[in-house]
Amino acid sequence: MTVKNAQVKSSLALLIEEKLGVTMKKKNHRGTHTGSDDSYSVQGKTTIDYVVQSNDSPLKRALKRQQLSKIQRQLNIETIMANALALCPDVTSRGRPDPDWLEHFIDLAEDIANQSMQKLWAKILVGETVSPGTFSIKSLQTLKQMTQREATALQKCAPLCGYLAKEDSYIILIGYYKKPSFFDLLRKGNKESINLSKAGLSFPNILTLMDIGLLYRQEIESSSLKPEQPFSLSFQGKTLSLTAKSNDLVLSYYKLTQTGDELKKLITVPINKQYKGQLEQAFNEEFDCNWG
């Protein structure tokens, strides 16, 4: 056995002991048994070389494992609530969280052991305490079930999201086109598109966000913009105002779902610099772009 393999096995043995509350030891074999992982018994079943090292009955061991699990859950929720107190701003609350919501929160959050995820759950508790109704139970369930790949996709999406006040939602601008004139109905004129992958959000990331219900599946188009009506988007600490230089310009964008909007609020990051540069380059010809 190599040193690396020995380290892995030692780590695994420690993990098992933490979760079961007992250690496991290797059986003492007689005769010519090789201890190979692919060895078989006379009945054709794979032999298991390791057994629990304990004099307690399986029932006692099960009860001990349940106790350890309950202790870990208690520590998890205590850590989340301690983080929530540390993050809580000194503001006036709009009321108390709904009791049923709070019970669901505890049931879901007590299994969260990852430190970074515990901080996200703490932010949820703070947000709901400041303004009850901010986070739905559906959003809690979605966050609980998210894989690391899905969480990474959301983190890459957040710096590209601008808040559109008139729809009370976050969107990702992906381009625009000019409606064709009466004499040019066969094509969209002056079409411009933004390559989101250059800003870190790949197409597989977008599909992932759609699959878990954080992003609507269809691109959305704005109504035709008029030169005197600016289109404003708020990013973290900055506001982009786009004013069309001519008529018949239409914006295209991805829109976050209600669940996506709620979970986006947990990630407060400035606009992605590469995306900001792409926006300015793509829109400058047909729009006046002003940052405030």
Side-chain angles (χ1 to χ4, degrees), residues 6 19 32 45 64 76 100 172 178 185 209 214-215 248:
K19 293 300 178 183
T32 58
K45 296 181 179 179
K64 184 175 183 179
N76 290 342
D100 291 337
I172 302 174
K178 189 175 182 65
L185 297 175
L209 294 172
L214 301 189
L215 206 63
D248 298 325

Side-chain angles (χ1 to χ4, degrees), residues 174-283:
I174 55 176
Y176 71 89
Y177 69 90
K178 189 175 182 65
K179 282 188 174 181
S181 68
F182 179 78
F183 301 102
D184 189 15
L185 297 175
L186 299 180
R187 67 182 180 86
K188 292 180 178 180
N190 298 339
K191 183 176 181 180
E192 286 287 345
S193 298
I194 293 174
N195 187 345
L196 297 181
S197 64
K198 290 184 178 180
L201 186 67
S202 66
F203 189 62
N205 292 151
I206 293 170
L207 292 179
T208 295
L209 294 172
M210 290 176 176
D211 287 341
I212 62 175
L214 301 189
L215 206 63
Y216 285 109
R217 289 189 174 276
Q218 299 295 326
E219 293 181 15
I220 298 175
E221 294 184 351
S222 71
S223 57
S224 295
L225 302 180
K226 297 180 180 179
E228 68 275 10
Q229 295 177 341
F231 184 93
S232 297
L233 279 180
S234 298
F235 295 87
Q236 186 68 23
K238 289 185 178 294
T239 299
L240 171 63
S241 181
L242 294 171
T243 304
K245 296 178 181 178
S246 60
N247 290 312
D248 298 325
L249 288 168
V250 177
L251 301 176
S252 55
Y253 53 88
Y254 290 121
K255 183 179 178 181
L256 272 65
T257 62
Q258 180 181 341
T259 301
D261 284 334
E262 292 178 9
L263 295 183
K264 159 64 183 74
K265 293 173 184 176
L266 299 172
I267 307 174
T268 53
V269 290
I271 184 172
N272 179 289
K273 290 182 179 179
Q274 289 183 318
Y275 179 63
K276 182 175 181 287
Q278 286 191 76
L279 280 176
E280 293 169 349
Q281 184 176 0
F283 284 80

Side-chain angles (χ1 to χ4, degrees), residues 42-59:
V42 176
Q43 290 81 13
K45 296 181 179 179
T46 307
T47 59
I48 300 176
D49 288 341
Y50 289 85
V51 293
V52 171
Q53 187 176 3
S54 175
N55 294 324
D56 292 335
S57 67
L59 176 59

Side-chain angles (χ1 to χ4, degrees), residues 52-242:
V52 171
Q53 187 176 3
S54 175
N55 294 324
D56 292 335
S57 67
L59 176 59
K60 285 186 177 181
R61 298 201 299 271
L63 291 173
K64 184 175 183 179
R65 181 174 61 81
Q66 289 177 351
Q67 289 175 338
L68 290 173
S69 180
K70 287 180 178 179
I71 290 170
Q72 184 59 58
R73 286 192 174 100
Q74 182 65 22
L75 292 174
N76 290 342
I77 199 66
E78 287 175 359
T79 301
I80 289 170
M81 290 184 170
N83 279 326
L85 281 172
L87 293 169
C88 190
D90 188 13
V91 297
T92 302
S93 174
R94 298 178 186 174
R96 289 174 59 87
D98 180 81
D100 291 337
W101 182 93
L102 192 56
E103 289 302 318
H104 279 289
F105 175 87
I106 292 174
D107 287 343
L108 293 168
E110 65 182 2
D111 288 324
I112 306 301
N114 179 278
Q115 289 185 359
S116 60
M117 291 301 289
Q118 285 177 341
K119 290 181 180 179
L120 285 182
W121 283 83
K123 287 183 179 180
I124 288 176
L125 183 56
V126 171
E128 192 67 18
T129 304
V130 172
S131 182
T134 300
F135 297 98
S136 65
I137 293 173
K138 182 180 179 181
S139 292
L140 300 184
Q141 292 169 336
T142 300
L143 183 61
K144 173 73 177 287
Q145 296 169 1
M146 283 177 67
T147 64
Q148 185 60 50
R149 178 173 63 87
E150 292 164 348
T152 299
L154 177 59
Q155 289 172 341
K156 291 180 178 180
C157 167
L160 280 58
C161 294
Y163 178 70
L164 184 59
K166 67 178 181 178
E167 294 188 16
D168 190 25
S169 183
Y170 287 96
I171 70 170
I172 302 174
L173 276 178
I174 55 176
Y176 71 89
Y177 69 90
K178 189 175 182 65
K179 282 188 174 181
S181 68
F182 179 78
F183 301 102
D184 189 15
L185 297 175
L186 299 180
R187 67 182 180 86
K188 292 180 178 180
N190 298 339
K191 183 176 181 180
E192 286 287 345
S193 298
I194 293 174
N195 187 345
L196 297 181
S197 64
K198 290 184 178 180
L201 186 67
S202 66
F203 189 62
N205 292 151
I206 293 170
L207 292 179
T208 295
L209 294 172
M210 290 176 176
D211 287 341
I212 62 175
L214 301 189
L215 206 63
Y216 285 109
R217 289 189 174 276
Q218 299 295 326
E219 293 181 15
I220 298 175
E221 294 184 351
S222 71
S223 57
S224 295
L225 302 180
K226 297 180 180 179
E228 68 275 10
Q229 295 177 341
F231 184 93
S232 297
L233 279 180
S234 298
F235 295 87
Q236 186 68 23
K238 289 185 178 294
T239 299
L240 171 63
S241 181
L242 294 171

Side-chain angles (χ1 to χ4, degrees), residues 24-35:
M24 304 198 82
K25 65 176 182 179
K26 197 167 186 177
K27 291 179 180 178
N28 291 322
H29 294 282
R30 295 181 179 179
T32 58
H33 176 69
T34 62

